[in-house]
Amino acid sequence: MQKYFVRRLLNMIPTLLLVSLGVFALVRWLPSDPARLLAGVDESGAVDPVLYAKIKKDLGFDQPVLVQYISWLGGIVSGNWGKSYLSGMEVFPQIVHRLHFTVQLGLVSWLLGVIVGISLGTVSAVRRNSPIDIAVTTFAISGVAIPHFWLGMMLIVVFAVWLGWLPYGGFNASLFTSPLLWMQQMLLPTFVLGTGLAAILMRQTRAALLEVFREPYVLTARAKGLKESRVIWGHAMKNSLLPVVTIASLQFGTLIGGTVVTETVFTLPGVGKFIIDAVLRRDYLVVQMGLLVLTVAVMLSNFVADVLYTYLDPRIRYD
Amino acid sequence: MGFRHTLRNLMRVRLAKFAAVVLGVTLVAAVFAPWLAPHDPTKAKPWDSLRPPSATYWLGADRLGRDQLSRLIYGARVSLLIGVGGVGIAVLLGMSIGVTAGWYRGVCDELLMRVMDGLSAFPALLLALSLVAIVGGTVLNIILVVGIVGTPWVARVIRSQVLSLREREFIVAVRGLGAKPGRIMLKHLLPNCLAPVIVQASLAVAAAILLEAALSFLGVGVKPPTPTWGGMLRHAFETVSQAPWLTVSPGVMIFLVVLAFNFFGDALRDVLDPKLRGTR
Amino acid sequence: MQSTGWTTNSYGPLCCLVSIIAWGMVATLALATDPVPPRPFPHAPTGGTLAIGYMRETSSPDGFQAVGSFDRMYFFTGNEVLVAIGKDGLYDPAESLAYAYDVLDEGKRYRFHLRKGVEFQGGLGEMTAADVAWSLNRIHQPDTGSRWSSVFRSFDRAVEVDRYTVDVLLKEVDANLIIRMFDRGSIVHSRKHWEEVGGAVQHKIRPLATGPYQLLDWQVGIDQKWVKHPKYWRGEPMADQVVVKIITENRTRLAALQTGEVQVAWLQAEQVPEAQKDPNIKVWDFPGVGWDGWTWAAGLPPLDDLRMRRALVKAVDRGALNKSIYLNTMRAHKAHTFPSESAFGIDAKDLWDGELLKFDPAAAKKLVQEVARDKKLKLPIELQGVCEQRPDRQLFCEFLQAAWDEIGVKFTFKIVANAAERLAVFEQCQTHINQTGGLMVTPDAMEGALLSTSTGNITARVCHDKGQKFSPVDTKVQAEVDRLLNEATQQIELAQAIEIYKKAQRLALENLWVYVPVTQRVNYIGCHIPTTGGCDTNPMRGDGFIRAGDFWRKR
């Protein structure tokens, strides 16, 4: 099995290279001129041609594209990610700082989604066709259809503006030093992000459990007179959890990708918003590095999910 | 048991009916927009800025005094066009790539699939955002972008289908008879590959519509003055305290249409793929 | 009554002499210290953290390298200029690093008298003439991040006279010199620190200046943290920390103000009515800090015909525009660059309300048809524009689209991310209309737009003979505008210069030259009363922006 994982990991490398090439090309094709941006134009100012030429030279834009690509790759590996064209600040520490937040947000949302999704899905399967089941099913169906940004908007209007119970957005708390504030600020964003995942998991859990309930061994257990809760927890859950866990772990990558819109609506200091702001402002270097980092993060989390899945499922053996 | 079972069936049918109604209304709105819309969606009447719902403006007027209902109706065009068109492009591109990779295998397969892996590694919204920033926000461009974002998924599904099909007897037989690869692909492979794609297509359209709405919401969607549901939400958020009613209708429309496509997709799956029935 | 009279007293003249000498000594002593004392803070320090809500990404906390007009909102937190603008728009010595100045050599030399005991932040020591001279001289140097070289084109160099006196030598007379210095060009930084950190780019993120707060941390796109400068020359700053929070969403920024998350916030038009209704918020405004409208390429047909330009202006209902896009928080312009109430403004009601420019779509349509007929153009006439993505700017362009559609003009526009891109597109010489605004605090800003050498005048500067050409009439107009503006700067007396600027504005308006100031900008800020002191009087300076040092946290 180790060989399988090593091979999988190695297989990621050409994909990573392709991704880096893609990111590089993408950013080069973006319209407008970063050298000009750096040389600076205010609302009615001029562009100094000498400064412009100097900046172009400093950024290496006068060299052939391939050379630029290779030196960029080299820079990434050596930790020199360059400086933002707009702010002049080092890109690496900024992205790391924001990645820290995005991962935090992603993890908490994921946990919330998993817990709520699986537990409600279980309840819904156990109490089939009851009002709870119908409510949960409705939520599950709507949860995947509702646009995240709209949900976020509506929640802000209700809870932050009309009721004033929760903050409008923004984030400056630390889990360890100010847990209450942290919870307040995290509540709405994690709810929005977790909804999609919870909805999917609810359906999956419910479906998987229902299927398992029809299995002979469950009927046997019930016939033996075992308590319902033991039936569920002792037998059914263990076997039905596998596809659910698979999906849940695969969804983590999607969740990270989905933080982009949530961070924008709630003005959160994450990588997603950082990238979007950079695209809209044409801060190319940030776009490049941010896209690369986020994509690699998603790829890695998918890989970890794969590992988990393979580890958990005794039926799967790869050689 | 009997009653509950029937109830479930009834509900299922009702959901599909609901989906059909919503989609039908949306389609009619999109196609017959010029006749249905009570006002011109792009004509600004600034003195009617932010009017609440009334007899003239059933859903209110937006910041420039344009009728919200008319813009909603025309917005259906963009959503449907981009949703369906985007998936169409994805299917076209994905099919060509998937069939080529699955048939020829070897280096060709490796290369194509690597590219697809690379493409699908990007979070969809970010990829779409960057691409639109490059090519600009016209309806056609966004259809292409959405299509490109969706291609890897189609390519993989088709490829695995082709891989399993190419060893089947009838394909081997036709190959033995000397038929050219192109002909084989077109006449024999493709028709049999499409089933899983079609089953998922409806859900894909739902995802494409959500993607387009997100792009418009962020301000990189279709350029004004074309009304889009996401764009309407963007402007509505700015004036949410003066005119909160403006935030409701576009969001509800997106929600309903996406929901409908989801239901439709589920129903389609039940019909076309009986093996999966019962996982509801 | 008999006068004893000290005149008959032999001690009289002696007493007189002694008192004169004593008086002279006292006077000399008085003149040796700053005759204009620093303006003290209005309240004792209360500590705490003051949060300010700003609406966009900050470009540079050191001020000197900041590119946005609105950046004044934050960089004055820690940086100070040689001569400061007061609430009336004129020189305010009580808050300036130079407490007085003399005009010598018939206007070609300005002598600035610096305050003593002004300490730099970070324990760098006293500000002296050396620092001031260096700070001014970098305006013309290319790698200092300076973009102000053309604004200060009359400035030759600054020279230290003694420890607290600096002479500024001019190449030519410039009545506007002091006014130009109100903005960031004359920010004083420490040369020692600049060189220690390694130049412009480093100084951007680690600036040290003379202002009440020192930059502690800058998270781009998120916030800036400034900490108090205990040795500030006007006294101990009233708060311990100032945080400038970037809250781009207008809605959320207002919500932050309403809850007291921020003490002072920039308000965009949409938020003003709601903020005014809130009893916890005091809204202050400052009109006349700029205009919104568009600039156009007067040499690109059919705009080279004045009738066409007039038609486009006459098709726009400025009141409706103000209501829908700005929610009645701006003003339809009744003057040109500066509002009528300003010292620099003209009263042009007769032009705006007269046949020339009055809102009249029917008449506008006729004009368009006339032009089409004469120039043999097909209707609808097609015009290209460029607009920024920012929601209010985009709405403005959509408004123009709809308004001009009524008169037979088809207006399509490109959307760009920021001002730099906008300019780049405009400079490709195929765009007719550039939707923009201008911050016009002082008359020298007009030069930046109207002169044939200015960046704003796209036809004259870049596109002449690249598909754009002024009509003979317009060529004369440009020549006259150039003549007037140059004459204005040659005046020594500001009053004389102002008269000439007024003439130039009138000429520009009659010919709709280079830019059309459709609405007059009003800046709004909100102050959260329960937590903030300093809200009782209008805190905004003549440039339409606040100074963080004016506020304190209420206990």
Side-chain angles (χ1 to χ4, degrees):
Chain A
M1 191 149 69
Q2 260 79 342
K3 274 209 292 197
Y4 168 72
F5 287 128
V6 170
R7 201 149 48 95
R8 266 279 266 152
L9 207 58
L10 285 177
N11 267 343
M12 267 176 51
I13 294 183
T15 316
L16 272 172
L17 272 175
L18 268 173
V19 165
S20 74
L21 193 63
V23 164
F24 183 81
L26 212 70
V27 170
R28 281 288 170 279
W29 275 334
L30 280 171
S32 128
D33 187 350
R36 191 200 186 93
L37 206 66
L38 260 181
V41 182
D42 72 58
E43 289 195 5
S44 59
V47 175
D48 183 350
V50 171
L51 188 62
Y52 178 70
K54 178 174 180 289
I55 290 175
K56 241 185 140 151
K57 191 161 163 302
D58 285 345
L59 290 178
F61 284 174
D62 49 350
Q63 287 173 319
V65 178
L66 197 59
V67 174
Q68 288 184 44
Y69 173 62
I70 295 184
S71 58
W72 175 63
L73 275 185
I76 297 178
V77 170
S78 68
N80 172 24
W81 289 16
K83 302 204 181 89
S84 153
Y85 298 146
L86 282 186
S87 66
M89 297 179 65
E90 295 268 331
V91 174
F92 181 76
Q94 283 190 61
I95 289 193
V96 166
H97 183 91
R98 282 172 170 76
L99 194 63
H100 176 243
F101 174 82
T102 300
V103 169
Q104 217 186 116
L105 179 67
L107 268 173
V108 176
S109 311
W110 185 78
L111 276 172
L112 204 69
V114 163
I115 294 174
V116 169
I118 293 185
S119 50
L120 284 183
T122 312
V123 167
S124 159
V126 166
R127 307 218 181 290
R128 265 186 81 173
N129 295 327
S130 69
I132 287 196
D133 183 16
I134 298 183
V136 167
T137 314
T138 314
F139 179 88
I141 295 175
S142 342
V144 285
I146 204 165
H148 281 181
F149 52 92
W150 187 58
L151 181 62
M153 243 202 281
M154 296 285 99
L155 288 174
I156 289 179
V157 169
V158 171
F159 288 102
V161 179
W162 286 349
L163 294 172
W165 292 349
L166 292 167
Y168 58 93
F171 184 80
N172 57 1
S174 164
L175 176 56
F176 306 110
T177 58
S178 47
L180 198 64
L181 188 64
W182 185 90
M183 274 199 291
Q184 274 185 321
Q185 291 176 338
M186 275 292 206
L187 187 58
L188 289 180
T190 50
F191 181 81
V192 168
L193 257 183
T195 299
L197 179 63
I200 295 176
L201 287 180
M202 270 180 220
R203 276 187 96 176
Q204 285 301 130
T205 312
R206 184 181 183 281
L209 268 180
L210 286 180
E211 194 165 318
V212 163
F213 280 170
R214 289 202 296 247
E215 294 282 328
Y217 70 91
V218 172
L219 295 172
T220 315
R222 280 205 175 117
K224 279 205 310 202
L226 278 176
K227 261 172 65 172
E228 188 66 12
S229 52
R230 263 216 78 181
V231 173
I232 298 173
W233 291 105
H235 299 276
M237 281 294 271
K238 262 201 295 211
N239 291 301
S240 60
L241 261 183
L242 186 58
V244 173
V245 166
T246 315
I247 293 181
S249 35
L250 285 173
Q251 285 288 326
F252 184 69
T254 319
L255 200 83
I256 293 285
T259 57
V260 170
V261 169
T262 311
E263 286 172 9
T264 305
V265 172
F266 290 97
T267 327
L268 300 170
V271 176
K273 178 164 190 302
F274 198 44
I275 297 175
I276 287 197
D277 287 345
V279 171
L280 294 178
R281 281 178 349 212
R282 308 285 190 250
D283 193 351
Y284 291 155
L285 210 55
V286 172
V287 175
Q288 242 171 359
M289 296 316 306
L291 262 183
L292 194 65
V293 164
L294 204 61
T295 309
V296 169
V298 171
M299 279 174 70
L300 277 176
S301 63
N302 282 341
F303 177 73
V304 168
D306 204 20
V307 168
L308 211 68
Y309 168 59
T310 317
Y311 191 67
L312 285 180
D313 189 350
R315 290 176 290 176
I316 300 175
R317 278 286 172 262
Y318 292 80
D319 37 38
Chain B
M1 184 63 196
F3 171 75
R4 284 202 175 139
H5 192 72
T6 320
L7 197 70
R8 280 230 68 122
N9 274 339
L10 213 65
M11 219 170 72
R12 195 187 304 161
V13 169
R14 210 193 297 150
L15 283 178
K17 280 215 183 102
F18 163 81
V21 165
V22 168
L23 291 181
V25 166
T26 313
L27 192 63
V28 164
V31 171
F32 296 105
W35 293 276
L36 285 173
H39 300 264
D40 183 336
T42 59
K43 190 180 175 110
K45 293 212 180 88
W47 291 111
D48 285 341
S49 169
L50 299 179
R51 281 222 192 286
S54 63
T56 357
Y57 301 116
W58 288 10
L59 290 175
D62 75 354
R63 189 86 165 263
L64 288 184
R66 299 176 294 208
D67 178 31
Q68 184 84 336
L69 178 62
S70 307
R71 287 177 70 81
L72 211 64
I73 292 175
Y74 272 87
R77 288 190 157 178
V78 172
S79 292
L80 284 184
L81 258 175
I82 294 183
V84 174
V87 171
I89 298 280
V91 167
L92 268 172
L93 286 174
M95 268 194 333
S96 345
I97 295 180
V99 161
T100 318
W103 183 256
Y104 288 111
R105 310 217 38 197
V107 174
C108 178
D109 180 17
E110 274 294 309
L111 195 64
L112 282 174
M113 281 302 117
R114 283 273 165 265
V115 172
M116 290 295 107
D117 281 344
L119 210 56
S120 60
F122 288 97
L125 182 59
L126 285 175
L127 181 62
L129 191 84
S130 316
L131 286 175
V132 174
I134 296 176
V135 299
T138 64
V139 174
L140 193 61
N141 285 346
I142 297 192
I143 290 179
L144 280 171
V145 166
V146 171
I148 291 176
V149 169
T151 302
W153 154 72
V154 175
R156 264 195 231 116
V157 169
I158 299 271
R159 174 182 174 269
S160 55
Q161 282 289 99
V162 169
L163 280 179
S164 68
L165 277 176
R166 75 202 299 274
E167 306 307 326
R168 293 265 289 273
E169 294 116 3
F170 72 100
I171 297 288
V172 174
V174 168
R175 236 199 319 195
L177 283 177
K180 294 221 303 249
R183 196 180 150 76
I184 301 179
M185 288 186 214
L186 232 65
K187 269 200 82 173
H188 302 280
L189 281 177
L190 280 183
N192 293 302
C193 286
L194 280 182
V197 173
I198 290 184
V199 159
Q200 300 273 339
S202 187
L203 300 171
V205 173
I209 291 181
L210 276 176
L211 183 63
E212 186 278 319
L215 286 175
S216 299
F217 178 72
L218 292 170
V220 290
V222 181
K223 269 166 39 168
T226 317
T228 67
W229 291 340
M232 288 165 75
L233 279 175
R234 179 170 179 244
H235 283 308
F237 198 26
E238 293 276 316
T239 52
V240 73
S241 56
Q242 285 91 352
W245 53 87
L246 290 176
T247 58
V248 175
S249 37
V252 167
M253 276 318 295
I254 299 175
F255 174 56
L256 285 177
V257 170
V258 169
L259 203 63
F261 272 109
N262 278 343
F263 286 163
F264 198 65
D266 284 344
L268 215 60
R269 189 176 50 195
D270 285 351
V271 165
L272 291 180
D273 209 343
K275 283 182 290 175
L276 296 170
R277 208 182 289 168
T279 56
R280 306 203 77 245
Chain C
M1 183 125 160
Q2 224 181 12
S3 56
T4 34
W6 51 271
T7 42
T8 55
N9 195 328
S10 57
Y11 289 114
L14 194 60
C15 265
C16 198
L17 207 64
V18 168
S19 52
I20 289 175
I21 294 173
W23 213 90
M25 283 172 66
V26 169
T28 320
L29 221 71
L31 284 170
T33 55
D34 301 346
V36 182
R39 176 167 297 122
F41 285 121
H43 195 272
T46 54
T49 301
L50 189 81
I52 299 180
Y54 182 61
M55 83 295 204
R56 64 176 192 220
E57 169 74 55
T58 55
S59 61
S60 175
D62 84 340
F64 184 72
Q65 301 179 65
V67 291
S69 323
F70 298 89
D71 293 1
R72 288 171 172 88
M73 184 102 168
Y74 64 83
F75 68 66
F76 278 130
T77 306
N79 300 280
E80 294 185 311
V81 287
L82 196 59
V83 284
I85 190 171
K87 291 188 180 176
D88 54 3
L90 301 170
Y91 168 50
D92 184 8
E95 284 189 25
S96 301
L97 293 173
Y99 64 82
Y101 66 90
D102 309 315
V103 182
L104 308 167
D105 294 354
E106 285 155 7
K108 288 184 94 170
R109 185 151 63 96
Y110 283 68
R111 174 158 292 176
F112 293 93
H113 302 279
L114 309 177
R115 291 185 180 279
K116 299 192 181 64
V118 174
E119 295 279 334
F120 276 111
Q121 297 152 1
L124 278 175
E126 194 190 13
M127 174 198 83
T128 63
D131 297 305
V132 174
W134 172 82
S135 298
L136 290 174
N137 284 326
R138 67 183 165 165
I139 289 176
H140 283 318
Q141 276 155 23
D143 53 0
T144 56
S146 164
R147 293 170 182 79
W148 329 119
S149 190
S150 65
V151 171
F152 285 92
R153 62 183 168 280
S154 62
F155 166 68
D156 183 16
R157 65 188 192 285
V159 179
E160 280 178 67
V161 173
D162 60 40
R163 191 174 165 82
Y164 300 109
T165 315
V166 175
D167 270 3
V168 165
L169 304 167
L170 301 182
K171 292 183 205 152
E172 55 194 8
V173 174
D174 184 359
N176 292 314
L177 181 71
I178 297 298
I179 289 182
R180 295 180 211 271
M181 287 183 158
F182 288 159
D183 195 3
R184 64 210 79 179
S186 75
I187 286 181
V188 177
H189 286 138
S190 155
R191 172 191 203 157
K192 183 163 150 256
H193 177 70
W194 180 283
E195 284 165 0
E196 247 170 39
V197 295
V201 176
Q202 291 306 315
H203 194 263
K204 230 191 199 187
I205 52 184
R206 278 186 290 169
L208 285 180
T210 58
Y213 297 95
Q214 174 184 343
L215 185 74
L216 185 65
D217 184 31
W218 178 26
Q219 285 188 72
V220 181
I222 309 218
D223 60 24
Q224 295 175 346
K225 291 188 181 63
W226 306 73
V227 72
K228 88 171 168 197
H229 171 37
K231 295 216 198 102
Y232 180 53
W233 59 275
R234 280 174 56 203
E236 192 189 340
M238 298 188 283
D240 287 335
Q241 258 204 10
V242 172
V243 175
V244 176
K245 290 190 183 178
I246 313 296
I247 309 175
T248 45
E249 316 294 334
N250 297 318
R251 179 90 220 101
T252 45
R253 196 175 341 109
L254 176 61
L257 186 64
Q258 284 170 324
T259 57
E261 295 271 346
V262 297
Q263 276 59 61
V264 180
W266 174 272
L267 294 174
Q268 203 72 20
E270 301 90 37
Q271 282 73 49
V272 172
E274 191 184 338
Q276 282 169 335
K277 277 191 245 148
D278 190 327
N280 283 333
I281 298 181
K282 182 87 181 109
V283 176
W284 287 107
D285 65 82
F286 199 93
V289 283
W291 54 266
D292 280 293
W294 62 83
T295 59
W296 44 18
L300 185 59
L303 290 184
D304 54 350
D305 189 325
L306 179 58
R307 288 174 298 179
M308 190 71 206
R309 306 205 289 266
R310 280 182 56 213
L312 292 175
V313 174
K314 283 172 82 69
V316 172
D317 184 349
R318 296 170 300 130
L321 193 146
N322 187 21
K323 175 180 194 288
S324 57
I325 298 180
Y326 299 112
L327 302 175
N328 277 330
T329 52
M330 302 295 163
R331 299 198 208 163
H333 226 302
K334 285 284 185 249
H336 188 251
T337 311
F338 305 97
S340 316
E341 307 91 355
S342 150
F344 315 120
I346 57 172
D347 183 357
K349 275 223 313 263
D350 59 316
L351 287 174
W352 284 110
D353 294 342
E355 210 221 294
L356 192 77
L357 299 174
K358 191 163 89 151
F359 171 58
D360 188 347
K365 198 165 182 179
K366 278 214 198 78
L367 279 171
V368 170
Q369 284 164 347
E370 237 182 78
V371 171
R373 209 174 36 231
D374 290 349
K375 299 273 169 77
K376 311 234 190 327
L377 295 167
K378 265 208 181 145
L379 286 173
I381 296 187
E382 292 192 12
L383 292 182
Q384 308 298 324
V386 60
C387 287
E388 253 180 74
Q389 195 171 47
R390 216 173 80 189
D392 58 327
R393 293 221 190 278
Q394 200 167 301
L395 274 175
F396 200 116
C397 283
E398 292 182 50
F399 183 100
L400 292 179
Q401 215 170 32
W404 290 342
D405 192 46
E406 299 281 311
I407 62 167
V409 170
K410 183 158 167 248
F411 177 57
T412 46
F413 54 90
K414 215 174 160 164
I415 299 185
V416 292
N418 49 46
E421 264 186 64
R422 218 177 350 105
L423 190 63
V425 170
F426 207 33
E427 282 178 351
Q428 282 161 14
C429 303
Q430 297 182 338
T431 312
H432 296 92
I433 311 271
N434 172 12
Q435 197 280 320
T436 180
L439 198 80
M440 300 280 188
V441 177
T442 49
D444 57 293
M446 282 172 63
E447 295 162 8
L450 293 175
L451 278 181
S452 55
T453 50
S454 73
T455 37
N457 192 341
I458 203 78
T459 303
R461 180 177 65 92
V462 177
C463 298
H464 211 264
D465 302 327
K466 274 200 207 156
Q468 294 188 21
K469 209 172 162 67
F470 284 139
S471 68
V473 173
D474 286 343
T475 312
K476 286 209 199 87
V477 172
Q478 178 68 80
E480 180 65 10
V481 164
D482 280 352
R483 188 188 71 79
L484 282 172
L485 289 178
N486 283 321
E487 197 192 319
T489 54
Q490 296 297 317
Q491 308 300 311
I492 302 178
E493 290 285 331
L494 189 58
Q496 291 167 340
I498 288 177
E499 282 314 305
I500 304 178
Y501 280 124
K502 288 188 180 179
K503 278 205 209 115
Q505 286 178 68
R506 195 146 180 111
L507 182 66
L509 187 58
E510 283 165 358
N511 289 283
L512 297 173
W513 199 241
V514 181
Y515 58 88
V516 181
V518 167
T519 53
Q520 185 186 312
R521 241 186 236 176
V522 181
N523 283 0
Y524 291 89
I525 57 132
C527 211
H528 187 247
I529 303 174
T531 58
T532 321
C535 299
D536 300 325
T537 51
N538 194 340
M540 293 157 110
R541 298 290 187 281
D543 55 10
F545 294 92
I546 57 164
R547 302 291 185 264
D550 289 347
F551 301 96
W552 68 92
R553 286 299 304 253
K554 279 191 186 160
R555 288 262 161 259

